[in-house]
Each structure stands twice: as C-alpha cells, then as structure tokens.
Amino acid sequence: MGRRKSRWSQSVQMRRLKEGRGIGEGAEYKPYITTHDFPSKGQVCRVRGETADRIHHLMSSLERDLFLILDYDPTVTDIREQYPLPLCETELIAAGLGVKHPEANNWPVVMTTDFYYCQNGIWHAAAVKPSSELENQRVMEKLKIEHLYWEDHHVDWKIRTEKNINRIRARNIIWITGGRPVEELIPAADLRSRMEDVLFELYQDDSIPFHDIIDGLESECHLPAGTVLQLFKHMVREGRIPLNLDRRICLDDPRRIILEGC
C-alpha cells in the first residue's frame, strides 16, 4: 500500500508516470515505489529475482520473506512489487466507503499493492503488514479500499502477515540460494556431473557424516573449501536432493530434523 510519508505532489506523480513506474511485465516492470523514494520502518532492501530477472524493491523484512518464497516457487511466472492502483478508481471506492483517501500535502496519493503476481497462470494480489498494524483503524480503512479495488477486478487479494508467511522457509531459501554459482566454482560440466553422482550416493548413506562428505570430495578433487557445499545447494535447487524447506535446516547435517524449540 502507499503508506509511507514522502514529499508528495502532483509533479512527483507526473514524473513517475513519465518514468514508466508501475508499467511493464517481467524484467521490464518498474515498481511505482522504489527503495530510494520512501523511508520505511522495516528493513528496506533490493533483491535480484530469478523469476523476473531484475532487481526488486522491498520495503520491509516481511516483504523480502514473501518475495523470496514467491521467487523460489516454480509455479510463479511474474512478480510485480509496489503495484499502483488507478487513482480515479481508489478515490471512488473511498468515497463509497465514506472514508478519506490517502493524501499528502493536500494531494491524493496513488495507492499501491505490495505484490501482484502470477501463479499457475492466475494473478493474485497481496498486502504485507505486521499483524499488530491490523488493529489500527486507519490502516484497515486503506486496506478495505485496496481489497475492494481487487475485488472489482476479480483478482484474489489477501493480507499477509508474519503469521501466514513461512519465515523459516524464507531463511532456508536465503541459505540455499546464497554463494557463488556452482558453474563458476566447477567450470567443467563433466566433472560437475560426476561429482553430483558421487555426492548424491554418499548423501544417501546416513552413516557418513555430512562434513566428511564435503571435506572428502573437496580434498579428492583438489577444490577450494565451500565448493562442494555449493554443489549440494545447487542439487537441492534442481530438485535432485529433496529437502524440506519448511523446517529449519541443520547446517551440520541437512539430513537431520531440527525439532521445534531445539
């Protein structure tokens, strides 16, 4: 939502339109709000996504976590963050509800939806909020405007909070996708393929400690430390090694299950 304070004016609105903000698809989409435009209470960050192959502008750690989950999902084909809603429509909705439309400096603010994304060929919209903010009447008024906009356009819209965003999965995705590409670490495709086969076979044997597998392969193949771990992550991403990302990964041995509270 367009909820952050700024030096808003008609000229700012026109400039963003000229810049093509909120227009395009895939790698060509430009978010209406960027991390340079507004201060935020949360952890503002920019993340390169694989799905749309561009930098995404995320205004909080919650937005980042939901983005990581969407970007890792193979059924998601496009993700557009900070998606603008037509001012003429949101003003009519606000008037119909009898609530004040968001404004700044006596000028109506273009509202945005945090995420507009395509999953399994169907478009969805999501507003991301800490659950504590849902107790604020003004916040709920603006969310109602947003909800009715998407309802009018027959798009499924949901409020996502820390209670329904799997933050463990997001943390695991950060680990799985982190580090240098394995193609850079092991340039020879035939060597990578052979090592994948050996790593897969050894990983199935619970009697061999995980670190012994990693260290042994790196020593045998004369590879820098960390190379085989990156190969392991690559195999997880490719689906060759199954790993439940909804549970905390034991970094000492991903085969082990970490019980809640441990």
Side-chain angles (χ1 to χ4, degrees):
M1 294 181 58
R3 62 192 181 278
R4 304 166 184 87
K5 294 181 180 179
S6 68
R7 295 179 179 177
W8 182 256
S9 66
Q10 185 178 15
S11 63
V12 171
Q13 179 182 337
M14 297 305 296
R15 175 174 54 80
R16 290 183 184 176
L17 290 174
K18 289 181 180 179
E19 292 174 354
R21 302 275 196 103
I23 298 174
E25 58 184 45
E28 303 304 316
Y29 173 77
K30 296 181 179 180
Y32 191 76
I33 297 172
T34 72
T35 55
H36 304 296
D37 294 328
F38 293 90
S40 173
K41 295 179 182 178
Q43 180 182 340
V44 174
C45 62
R46 295 186 297 164
V47 179
R48 173 164 287 281
E50 295 292 330
T51 301
D53 190 25
R54 65 176 176 83
I55 298 294
H56 292 258
H57 293 252
L58 310 167
M59 303 300 168
S60 70
S61 59
L62 267 180
E63 285 190 16
R64 178 204 61 202
D65 288 351
L66 179 56
F67 168 76
L68 291 170
I69 292 169
L70 293 175
D71 193 48
Y72 195 78
D73 187 338
T75 68
V76 174
T77 55
D78 197 0
I79 307 171
R80 303 176 194 177
E81 76 280 17
Q82 323 310 335
Y83 188 82
L85 311 183
L87 187 57
C88 58
E89 294 188 47
T90 56
E91 285 186 307
L92 283 175
I93 293 171
L97 289 172
V99 301
K100 185 177 180 181
H101 190 280
E103 64 176 38
N105 301 324
N106 298 315
W107 187 260
V109 171
V110 172
M111 298 180 65
T112 60
T113 287
D114 295 318
F115 289 104
Y116 181 47
Y117 62 96
C118 186
Q119 185 174 39
N120 289 316
I122 300 173
W123 285 92
H124 304 263
V128 180
K129 284 285 189 183
S131 58
S132 60
E133 291 193 21
L134 302 184
E135 300 174 6
N136 184 296
Q137 181 180 349
R138 181 56 181 156
V139 168
M140 294 307 296
E141 288 176 351
K142 291 188 284 187
L143 286 172
K144 184 63 175 178
I145 296 172
E146 188 176 340
H147 181 197
L148 290 179
Y149 169 83
W150 289 113
E151 187 176 80
D152 288 345
H153 288 265
H154 309 289
V155 172
D156 175 65
W157 174 89
K158 287 184 173 63
I159 300 173
R160 305 297 295 270
T161 74
E162 75 282 359
K163 295 181 179 180
N164 54 29
I165 294 175
N166 190 332
R167 308 199 80 178
I168 290 177
R169 184 176 184 83
R171 297 298 183 276
N172 287 338
I173 290 171
I174 290 174
W175 183 71
I176 287 297
T177 57
R180 290 175 61 190
V182 71
E183 293 81 4
E184 292 181 7
L185 297 169
I186 312 174
D190 57 339
L191 176 58
R192 282 201 312 273
S193 180
R194 293 198 302 272
M195 289 187 65
E196 283 187 18
D197 290 340
V198 174
L199 177 55
F200 180 79
E201 183 177 350
L202 293 174
Y203 186 73
Q204 307 310 305
D205 189 344
D206 292 344
S207 67
I208 307 176
F210 183 68
H211 282 296
D212 286 353
I213 296 173
I214 300 296
D215 295 342
L217 280 176
E218 288 176 346
S219 176
E220 183 72 21
C221 298
H222 307 288
L223 294 169
T227 299
V228 177
L229 182 59
Q230 287 303 113
L231 181 65
F232 172 81
K233 293 179 182 181
H234 170 78
M235 292 175 69
V236 172
R237 294 196 301 272
E238 293 295 309
R240 186 165 184 189
I241 292 180
L243 205 59
N244 185 355
L245 298 185
D246 292 332
R247 306 194 65 152
R248 288 174 56 203
I249 294 176
C250 177
L251 300 185
D252 290 331
D253 190 340
R255 295 168 295 194
R256 288 175 46 200
I257 295 176
I258 299 180
L259 300 177
E260 294 298 327
C262 294

